[in-house]
Amino acid sequence: MIEVKGLYKDFGALHVLRGVSLNVEQGDIISIIGPSGSGKSTLLRSINLLEKPTYGEIWVEGKLITPPDPYLHWDVIRASHTYAALRAEGMDDEPAILKIKKEDLLKPHEGSAYNHLMKQIVKDHFEDTYSVRRRVGMVFQHFNLFPHMTVLENMIYAPMKVNKVSREAAVEKARALLNDVGMLSKIDAYPGKLSGGQKQRVAIARTLAMEPDIVLFDEPTSALDPEMVKEVLDVIKKLAETGMTMILVTHEMGFAREVSDRICFLDEGTLIEDAPPDVFFTTPKSTRAKEFLDKVL
Amino acid sequence: MQLDFSIILDWLPAFGSALLVTLKTTVCSLILGLVISVPLSLCKISNFKPLQWFAFFYTSVFRGVPLLVQVFMMYFGIPLVLPVRFTAFQAGTLVFAMNSAAYISESLKGGISAIDVGQYEAAMALGVHYPSMMKDIILPQAIKSVLPSLVNEFISLLKNTTLIASIGLVDILCVGQQIQSRTYRAFEPFFAISVFYYVLVLGLSVLGKALEKKVNASDRG
């Protein structure tokens, strides 16, 4: 359902992600954990393009959502002038491809077969950012409710504006979702009147109102007072039981172990473990993961 | 000399219609100025350099040239080089509007950049397009935060409109000058005018405070 291939993200000289690959199947619940600064949030935010990856590709439900990365399509590189020149010098196939710099390939190559093939990939598979975001919901650490709108208005705004749902249908859906997260009584309140836990429950309901196929959670409980963590985790757990595909970045190890199908351990921009929770928490393979678990458990 | 405020009473009807002129000019200028300031502030926060340059140039011109000169330029100067003609009201309103747009857009820009990046991210993550995001999510919050400075702009606009007397529109100041030339009395009419403006501005400030309180009600937790 989601395929992350060789993802790199640089912020200037800072290499936040260094070649992360990840597969998520329909109904999977994946928890991404790791030390702070390991690139967890950047990886998550790349999946709905709040961060634009430097290299690599992301595929969501068979659609390419990033620009194509020539390094993932060697047949395409073989069509470039640079490759032809290197071959003419007598270099072998693979060394020739590896010698070509990514930066050079990403520059426009007017009129070349290479250029044509790159365009063809875009034409066949590319999906624009806005329609990706309609299918990929996101829940933020700081809730990001719209403070000038009531809970109901927060809930119905995007469904009406983006999905062109009628007001009646949007309100009905909003009431049902708010009921699910136990916030129906606050439907006419402004976010400023709600506690952190209540805000996050509304934010989760707002994301679900768009009927996404996948929901991304970016440290959904990190900004909450301890006594409010449970109410939010309960809502997420309930959602998990409905079979929703979810990716969570979280520091709640107990919760991650309980609900996840797989744990992805990220360190210094590299995915170094991808295992079922029972395996990861009991017998981690890498020393980095062992050290991390010793500190947090 | 003896002060005689009864002359003010004699001129009350003239003051009345002049007050309407002043208020009409002020309100029209403010509304038009607000309308111009929104795209101008969007230019200022744009990533597209030429738009930024244009907005910067616009603001620097209207800040840099004295308002009276701008009024004269619009009323006397522009019609000589462009195929347009303005009444005194149109010329005055246009200048005041463009002028306050320069100032309002500056505070609006500040208001927009003060909005948490999470608001943009939430809107984007919900698939909302840029124009809707600005119109429905960002600008309403930005305008709310600049409301106090908007009231200030309204107040200085009200006071600045006295300049249209110089291009012959009969506003309150102009009535005062008429009284002075007819009766050779200066203190009474200008004192009365001062009181007019003072009361108006005071009223506006109170109104502004009330408005501010009302829109902030939704934010208080």
Side-chain angles (χ1 to χ4, degrees), chain A residues 28-79:
Chain A
D28 273 359
I29 296 165
I30 310 282
S31 291
I32 304 175
I33 63 174
S36 62
S38 58
K40 307 183 295 286
S41 281
T42 308
L43 173 61
L44 193 76
R45 289 158 56 85
S46 299
I47 296 172
N48 71 351
L49 297 168
L50 287 179
E51 304 290 353
K52 306 276 189 238
T54 313
Y55 303 117
E57 289 180 356
I58 301 173
W59 294 71
V60 175
E61 296 176 310
K63 290 282 185 188
L64 178 63
I65 68 168
T66 55
D69 181 346
Y71 253 66
L72 299 171
H73 306 272
W74 282 17
D75 51 325
V76 175
I77 298 184
R78 289 192 187 99

Short mmCIF file of all heavy atoms in Angstrom, two decimals, chain A residues 28-79:
data_model
loop_
_atom_site.label_atom_id
_atom_site.label_comp_id
_atom_site.label_asym_id
_atom_site.label_seq_id
_atom_site.Cartn_x
_atom_site.Cartn_y
_atom_site.Cartn_z
N ASP A 28 -1.89 -2.72 7.91
CA ASP A 28 -0.72 -2.76 8.79
C ASP A 28 -0.73 -1.61 9.78
O ASP A 28 -1.18 -0.51 9.47
CB ASP A 28 0.57 -2.62 7.96
CG ASP A 28 1.07 -3.96 7.45
OD1 ASP A 28 0.43 -4.98 7.77
OD2 ASP A 28 2.10 -3.96 6.74
N ILE A 29 -0.22 -1.90 10.96
CA ILE A 29 0.02 -0.83 11.92
C ILE A 29 1.51 -0.84 12.23
O ILE A 29 2.04 -1.81 12.77
CB ILE A 29 -0.82 -1.03 13.19
CG1 ILE A 29 -2.31 -0.92 12.80
CG2 ILE A 29 -0.46 0.02 14.23
CD1 ILE A 29 -3.24 -1.43 13.83
N ILE A 30 2.17 0.22 11.82
CA ILE A 30 3.62 0.29 11.93
C ILE A 30 3.98 1.37 12.95
O ILE A 30 3.45 2.49 12.86
CB ILE A 30 4.25 0.69 10.57
CG1 ILE A 30 3.71 -0.15 9.42
CG2 ILE A 30 5.77 0.68 10.65
CD1 ILE A 30 4.29 -1.51 9.30
N SER A 31 4.83 1.04 13.89
CA SER A 31 5.34 2.09 14.77
C SER A 31 6.79 2.37 14.42
O SER A 31 7.60 1.46 14.30
CB SER A 31 5.26 1.66 16.24
OG SER A 31 3.91 1.60 16.62
N ILE A 32 7.07 3.66 14.23
CA ILE A 32 8.45 4.06 13.97
C ILE A 32 9.01 4.60 15.27
O ILE A 32 8.46 5.55 15.84
CB ILE A 32 8.51 5.14 12.88
CG1 ILE A 32 7.82 4.66 11.60
CG2 ILE A 32 9.96 5.53 12.60
CD1 ILE A 32 7.73 5.72 10.53
N ILE A 33 10.07 3.97 15.77
CA ILE A 33 10.67 4.48 16.99
C ILE A 33 12.16 4.71 16.76
O ILE A 33 12.73 4.27 15.76
CB ILE A 33 10.45 3.51 18.19
CG1 ILE A 33 11.13 2.17 17.93
CG2 ILE A 33 8.96 3.31 18.43
CD1 ILE A 33 11.05 1.26 19.13
N GLY A 34 12.75 5.42 17.69
CA GLY A 34 14.18 5.70 17.57
C GLY A 34 14.51 6.95 18.37
O GLY A 34 13.62 7.67 18.80
N PRO A 35 15.82 7.19 18.57
CA PRO A 35 16.22 8.37 19.33
C PRO A 35 15.80 9.66 18.64
O PRO A 35 15.51 9.66 17.44
CB PRO A 35 17.74 8.25 19.41
CG PRO A 35 18.14 7.19 18.47
CD PRO A 35 16.95 6.39 18.10
N SER A 36 15.76 10.77 19.39
CA SER A 36 15.36 12.02 18.76
C SER A 36 16.42 12.44 17.76
O SER A 36 17.61 12.19 17.95
CB SER A 36 15.14 13.11 19.81
OG SER A 36 16.33 13.36 20.49
N GLY A 37 15.99 13.02 16.66
CA GLY A 37 16.91 13.40 15.60
C GLY A 37 17.25 12.27 14.66
O GLY A 37 18.09 12.42 13.79
N SER A 38 16.55 11.13 14.83
CA SER A 38 16.89 10.00 13.97
C SER A 38 16.18 10.07 12.63
O SER A 38 16.43 9.26 11.74
CB SER A 38 16.54 8.68 14.68
OG SER A 38 15.17 8.66 15.00
N GLY A 39 15.25 11.04 12.47
CA GLY A 39 14.57 11.19 11.18
C GLY A 39 13.17 10.60 11.14
O GLY A 39 12.56 10.53 10.08
N LYS A 40 12.65 10.17 12.32
CA LYS A 40 11.33 9.54 12.37
C LYS A 40 10.24 10.44 11.79
O LYS A 40 9.50 10.03 10.90
CB LYS A 40 10.92 9.22 13.83
CG LYS A 40 11.91 8.42 14.62
CD LYS A 40 11.37 8.11 16.01
CE LYS A 40 11.15 9.34 16.89
NZ LYS A 40 12.35 9.95 17.42
N SER A 41 10.18 11.67 12.32
CA SER A 41 9.13 12.58 11.87
C SER A 41 9.30 12.94 10.41
O SER A 41 8.32 13.04 9.67
CB SER A 41 9.13 13.86 12.71
OG SER A 41 8.49 13.60 13.93
N THR A 42 10.54 13.14 9.98
CA THR A 42 10.79 13.50 8.58
C THR A 42 10.31 12.39 7.66
O THR A 42 9.68 12.65 6.63
CB THR A 42 12.30 13.74 8.36
OG1 THR A 42 12.74 14.68 9.34
CG2 THR A 42 12.57 14.28 6.98
N LEU A 43 10.56 11.13 8.05
CA LEU A 43 10.09 10.00 7.25
C LEU A 43 8.57 10.02 7.16
O LEU A 43 7.99 9.90 6.08
CB LEU A 43 10.59 8.69 7.87
CG LEU A 43 10.06 7.40 7.26
CD1 LEU A 43 10.44 7.30 5.79
CD2 LEU A 43 10.58 6.17 8.01
N LEU A 44 7.92 10.21 8.31
CA LEU A 44 6.46 10.21 8.34
C LEU A 44 5.90 11.36 7.51
O LEU A 44 4.97 11.19 6.73
CB LEU A 44 5.98 10.34 9.79
CG LEU A 44 4.50 10.05 10.01
CD1 LEU A 44 4.25 8.56 9.95
CD2 LEU A 44 4.01 10.61 11.33
N ARG A 45 6.50 12.55 7.68
CA ARG A 45 5.99 13.73 6.99
C ARG A 45 6.24 13.66 5.48
O ARG A 45 5.56 14.33 4.71
CB ARG A 45 6.62 15.00 7.58
CG ARG A 45 6.10 15.31 8.99
CD ARG A 45 7.06 16.19 9.76
NE ARG A 45 7.37 17.42 9.06
CZ ARG A 45 6.62 18.52 9.12
NH1 ARG A 45 5.54 18.54 9.85
NH2 ARG A 45 6.94 19.59 8.44
N SER A 46 7.21 12.84 5.08
CA SER A 46 7.45 12.67 3.65
C SER A 46 6.30 11.93 2.99
O SER A 46 6.02 12.13 1.81
CB SER A 46 8.74 11.88 3.41
OG SER A 46 9.83 12.57 3.95
N ILE A 47 5.62 11.08 3.77
CA ILE A 47 4.60 10.21 3.16
C ILE A 47 3.38 11.02 2.72
O ILE A 47 2.67 10.61 1.81
CB ILE A 47 4.26 9.04 4.11
CG1 ILE A 47 5.51 8.16 4.29
CG2 ILE A 47 3.10 8.20 3.58
CD1 ILE A 47 5.40 7.10 5.34
N ASN A 48 3.11 12.18 3.36
CA ASN A 48 2.10 13.04 2.73
C ASN A 48 2.70 14.34 2.22
O ASN A 48 2.01 15.34 2.05
CB ASN A 48 0.90 13.28 3.64
CG ASN A 48 1.23 14.18 4.80
OD1 ASN A 48 2.39 14.50 5.03
ND2 ASN A 48 0.22 14.60 5.51
N LEU A 49 4.01 14.29 1.99
CA LEU A 49 4.72 15.36 1.27
C LEU A 49 4.75 16.69 2.00
O LEU A 49 4.87 17.74 1.38
CB LEU A 49 4.16 15.53 -0.14
CG LEU A 49 4.34 14.29 -1.02
CD1 LEU A 49 3.51 14.42 -2.29
CD2 LEU A 49 5.81 14.10 -1.36
N LEU A 50 4.63 16.66 3.34
CA LEU A 50 4.91 17.89 4.08
C LEU A 50 6.42 18.14 4.04
O LEU A 50 6.88 19.26 4.23
CB LEU A 50 4.43 17.79 5.52
CG LEU A 50 2.91 17.86 5.70
CD1 LEU A 50 2.53 17.73 7.16
CD2 LEU A 50 2.33 19.14 5.12
N GLU A 51 7.20 17.09 3.80
CA GLU A 51 8.62 17.24 3.46
C GLU A 51 8.80 16.67 2.07
O GLU A 51 8.24 15.63 1.74
CB GLU A 51 9.53 16.46 4.42
CG GLU A 51 9.38 16.79 5.89
CD GLU A 51 9.90 18.16 6.24
OE1 GLU A 51 10.51 18.83 5.38
OE2 GLU A 51 9.70 18.57 7.40
N LYS A 52 9.58 17.39 1.24
CA LYS A 52 9.87 16.87 -0.09
C LYS A 52 11.20 16.13 -0.01
O LYS A 52 12.23 16.74 0.29
CB LYS A 52 9.99 18.01 -1.10
CG LYS A 52 8.78 18.94 -1.11
CD LYS A 52 7.65 18.40 -2.00
CE LYS A 52 6.56 19.44 -2.16
NZ LYS A 52 5.24 18.99 -1.72
N PRO A 53 11.18 14.82 -0.28
CA PRO A 53 12.43 14.06 -0.21
C PRO A 53 13.46 14.58 -1.22
O PRO A 53 13.08 15.10 -2.27
CB PRO A 53 12.00 12.63 -0.59
CG PRO A 53 10.53 12.60 -0.44
CD PRO A 53 10.04 14.00 -0.64
N THR A 54 14.74 14.44 -0.88
CA THR A 54 15.79 14.86 -1.79
C THR A 54 15.96 13.84 -2.90
O THR A 54 16.01 14.19 -4.08
CB THR A 54 17.12 15.05 -1.02
OG1 THR A 54 16.85 15.81 0.16
CG2 THR A 54 18.13 15.79 -1.86
N TYR A 55 16.09 12.56 -2.52
CA TYR A 55 16.14 11.47 -3.50
C TYR A 55 15.21 10.37 -3.02
O TYR A 55 14.80 10.36 -1.87
CB TYR A 55 17.55 10.87 -3.62
CG TYR A 55 18.61 11.86 -3.98
CD1 TYR A 55 19.66 12.11 -3.09
CD2 TYR A 55 18.60 12.52 -5.20
CE1 TYR A 55 20.65 13.01 -3.41
CE2 TYR A 55 19.59 13.42 -5.52
CZ TYR A 55 20.61 13.66 -4.62
OH TYR A 55 21.59 14.55 -4.95
N GLY A 56 14.95 9.44 -3.92
CA GLY A 56 14.12 8.30 -3.55
C GLY A 56 12.70 8.49 -4.01
O GLY A 56 12.33 9.56 -4.51
N GLU A 57 11.93 7.44 -3.88
CA GLU A 57 10.55 7.49 -4.33
C GLU A 57 9.61 7.00 -3.24
O GLU A 57 9.99 6.16 -2.42
CB GLU A 57 10.37 6.60 -5.58
CG GLU A 57 11.04 7.15 -6.82
CD GLU A 57 10.85 6.24 -8.03
OE1 GLU A 57 10.26 5.15 -7.88
OE2 GLU A 57 11.31 6.65 -9.12
N ILE A 58 8.40 7.53 -3.25
CA ILE A 58 7.35 7.01 -2.39
C ILE A 58 6.15 6.66 -3.28
O ILE A 58 5.74 7.47 -4.11
CB ILE A 58 6.92 8.03 -1.32
CG1 ILE A 58 8.12 8.42 -0.46
CG2 ILE A 58 5.79 7.46 -0.46
CD1 ILE A 58 7.83 9.53 0.51
N TRP A 59 5.66 5.46 -3.10
CA TRP A 59 4.48 5.01 -3.85
C TRP A 59 3.36 4.78 -2.85
O TRP A 59 3.56 4.12 -1.82
CB TRP A 59 4.77 3.70 -4.60
CG TRP A 59 5.79 3.85 -5.70
CD1 TRP A 59 7.13 4.06 -5.54
CD2 TRP A 59 5.56 3.81 -7.10
NE1 TRP A 59 7.75 4.16 -6.75
CE2 TRP A 59 6.80 4.00 -7.75
CE3 TRP A 59 4.42 3.63 -7.90
CZ2 TRP A 59 6.94 4.03 -9.14
CZ3 TRP A 59 4.56 3.65 -9.27
CH2 TRP A 59 5.81 3.85 -9.89
N VAL A 60 2.20 5.34 -3.13
CA VAL A 60 1.04 5.13 -2.27
C VAL A 60 -0.07 4.53 -3.13
O VAL A 60 -0.50 5.12 -4.11
CB VAL A 60 0.56 6.46 -1.64
CG1 VAL A 60 -0.72 6.24 -0.84
CG2 VAL A 60 1.64 7.04 -0.74
N GLU A 61 -0.51 3.35 -2.75
CA GLU A 61 -1.55 2.63 -3.48
C GLU A 61 -1.26 2.61 -4.99
O GLU A 61 -2.13 2.94 -5.80
CB GLU A 61 -2.92 3.24 -3.20
CG GLU A 61 -3.32 3.09 -1.74
CD GLU A 61 -4.63 3.78 -1.41
OE1 GLU A 61 -4.77 4.97 -1.77
OE2 GLU A 61 -5.50 3.16 -0.83
N GLY A 62 -0.04 2.26 -5.32
CA GLY A 62 0.32 2.09 -6.73
C GLY A 62 0.58 3.38 -7.47
O GLY A 62 0.79 3.37 -8.69
N LYS A 63 0.53 4.51 -6.77
CA LYS A 63 0.79 5.79 -7.43
C LYS A 63 2.09 6.39 -6.91
O LYS A 63 2.35 6.37 -5.70
CB LYS A 63 -0.35 6.77 -7.14
CG LYS A 63 -1.65 6.40 -7.82
CD LYS A 63 -1.59 6.81 -9.27
CE LYS A 63 -2.92 6.57 -9.98
NZ LYS A 63 -2.76 6.80 -11.43
N LEU A 64 2.87 6.95 -7.83
CA LEU A 64 4.11 7.60 -7.45
C LEU A 64 3.80 9.02 -6.98
O LEU A 64 3.20 9.80 -7.72
CB LEU A 64 5.04 7.64 -8.67
CG LEU A 64 6.40 8.33 -8.48
CD1 LEU A 64 7.23 7.61 -7.44
CD2 LEU A 64 7.15 8.38 -9.80
N ILE A 65 4.19 9.35 -5.76
CA ILE A 65 3.82 10.67 -5.25
C ILE A 65 5.00 11.64 -5.23
O ILE A 65 4.82 12.84 -5.03
CB ILE A 65 3.18 10.58 -3.85
CG1 ILE A 65 4.18 10.13 -2.79
CG2 ILE A 65 1.99 9.64 -3.87
CD1 ILE A 65 3.67 10.31 -1.38
N THR A 66 6.22 11.12 -5.42
CA THR A 66 7.40 11.99 -5.51
C THR A 66 7.84 12.04 -6.98
O THR A 66 7.38 11.22 -7.77
CB THR A 66 8.55 11.41 -4.68
OG1 THR A 66 8.78 10.07 -5.14
CG2 THR A 66 8.22 11.38 -3.21
N PRO A 67 8.71 12.97 -7.34
CA PRO A 67 9.26 12.89 -8.70
C PRO A 67 10.03 11.58 -8.83
O PRO A 67 10.56 11.08 -7.85
CB PRO A 67 10.23 14.09 -8.76
CG PRO A 67 9.83 14.98 -7.64
CD PRO A 67 9.24 14.12 -6.59
N PRO A 68 10.08 11.00 -10.03
CA PRO A 68 10.82 9.74 -10.17
C PRO A 68 12.31 9.94 -9.90
O PRO A 68 12.86 10.98 -10.23
CB PRO A 68 10.57 9.36 -11.63
CG PRO A 68 10.12 10.58 -12.32
CD PRO A 68 9.48 11.46 -11.29
N ASP A 69 12.91 8.95 -9.25
CA ASP A 69 14.34 9.01 -8.96
C ASP A 69 15.05 8.11 -9.97
O ASP A 69 14.88 6.89 -9.93
CB ASP A 69 14.58 8.53 -7.53
CG ASP A 69 16.06 8.59 -7.15
OD1 ASP A 69 16.91 8.75 -8.06
OD2 ASP A 69 16.36 8.47 -5.96
N PRO A 70 15.84 8.70 -10.87
CA PRO A 70 16.45 7.87 -11.92
C PRO A 70 17.27 6.72 -11.36
O PRO A 70 17.37 5.67 -12.00
CB PRO A 70 17.33 8.87 -12.68
CG PRO A 70 17.41 10.09 -11.84
CD PRO A 70 16.18 10.10 -10.99
N TYR A 71 17.85 6.88 -10.18
CA TYR A 71 18.68 5.81 -9.64
C TYR A 71 17.91 4.55 -9.30
O TYR A 71 18.47 3.49 -9.07
CB TYR A 71 19.47 6.32 -8.42
CG TYR A 71 20.92 6.49 -8.76
CD1 TYR A 71 21.31 7.45 -9.67
CD2 TYR A 71 21.89 5.66 -8.21
CE1 TYR A 71 22.62 7.60 -10.03
CE2 TYR A 71 23.21 5.80 -8.56
CZ TYR A 71 23.58 6.76 -9.48
OH TYR A 71 24.88 6.88 -9.83
N LEU A 72 16.57 4.69 -9.24
CA LEU A 72 15.74 3.51 -9.01
C LEU A 72 15.27 2.90 -10.33
O LEU A 72 14.54 1.94 -10.35
CB LEU A 72 14.55 3.88 -8.13
CG LEU A 72 14.92 4.40 -6.74
CD1 LEU A 72 13.70 4.94 -6.03
CD2 LEU A 72 15.56 3.29 -5.91
N HIS A 73 15.66 3.52 -11.44
CA HIS A 73 15.27 3.02 -12.77
C HIS A 73 16.51 2.97 -13.65
O HIS A 73 16.76 3.88 -14.43
CB HIS A 73 14.22 3.93 -13.41
CG HIS A 73 13.03 4.18 -12.56
ND1 HIS A 73 11.93 3.37 -12.55
CD2 HIS A 73 12.76 5.15 -11.65
CE1 HIS A 73 11.04 3.82 -11.69
NE2 HIS A 73 11.52 4.91 -11.13
N TRP A 74 17.31 1.89 -13.49
CA TRP A 74 18.58 1.85 -14.22
C TRP A 74 18.39 1.81 -15.72
O TRP A 74 19.23 2.26 -16.49
CB TRP A 74 19.42 0.66 -13.73
CG TRP A 74 20.06 0.95 -12.41
CD1 TRP A 74 19.72 1.94 -11.55
CD2 TRP A 74 21.16 0.27 -11.83
NE1 TRP A 74 20.52 1.93 -10.44
CE2 TRP A 74 21.42 0.90 -10.57
CE3 TRP A 74 21.96 -0.81 -12.21
CZ2 TRP A 74 22.45 0.48 -9.73
CZ3 TRP A 74 22.97 -1.23 -11.36
CH2 TRP A 74 23.22 -0.58 -10.13
N ASP A 75 17.24 1.22 -16.15
CA ASP A 75 16.97 1.20 -17.59
C ASP A 75 16.86 2.64 -18.12
O ASP A 75 17.22 2.93 -19.26
CB ASP A 75 15.69 0.42 -17.90
CG ASP A 75 14.52 0.87 -17.04
OD1 ASP A 75 14.76 1.24 -15.87
OD2 ASP A 75 13.39 0.86 -17.54
N VAL A 76 16.36 3.53 -17.26
CA VAL A 76 16.24 4.93 -17.66
C VAL A 76 17.62 5.58 -17.74
O VAL A 76 17.94 6.29 -18.69
CB VAL A 76 15.33 5.69 -16.67
CG1 VAL A 76 15.30 7.16 -17.02
CG2 VAL A 76 13.93 5.11 -16.68
N ILE A 77 18.46 5.29 -16.73
CA ILE A 77 19.81 5.87 -16.74
C ILE A 77 20.57 5.44 -18.00
O ILE A 77 21.29 6.21 -18.61
CB ILE A 77 20.61 5.43 -15.49
CG1 ILE A 77 19.93 5.95 -14.22
CG2 ILE A 77 22.04 5.96 -15.56
CD1 ILE A 77 20.69 5.66 -12.96
N ARG A 78 20.32 4.18 -18.40
CA ARG A 78 21.02 3.67 -19.59
C ARG A 78 20.67 4.46 -20.84
O ARG A 78 21.36 4.38 -21.84
CB ARG A 78 20.71 2.18 -19.79
CG ARG A 78 21.36 1.31 -18.74
CD ARG A 78 21.29 -0.18 -19.10
NE ARG A 78 21.79 -0.96 -17.97
CZ ARG A 78 21.00 -1.55 -17.07
NH1 ARG A 78 19.68 -1.51 -17.19
NH2 ARG A 78 21.53 -2.23 -16.06
N ALA A 79 19.57 5.22 -20.76
CA ALA A 79 19.17 6.02 -21.94
C ALA A 79 19.81 7.39 -21.94
O ALA A 79 19.60 8.17 -22.87
CB ALA A 79 17.65 6.15 -21.97
#
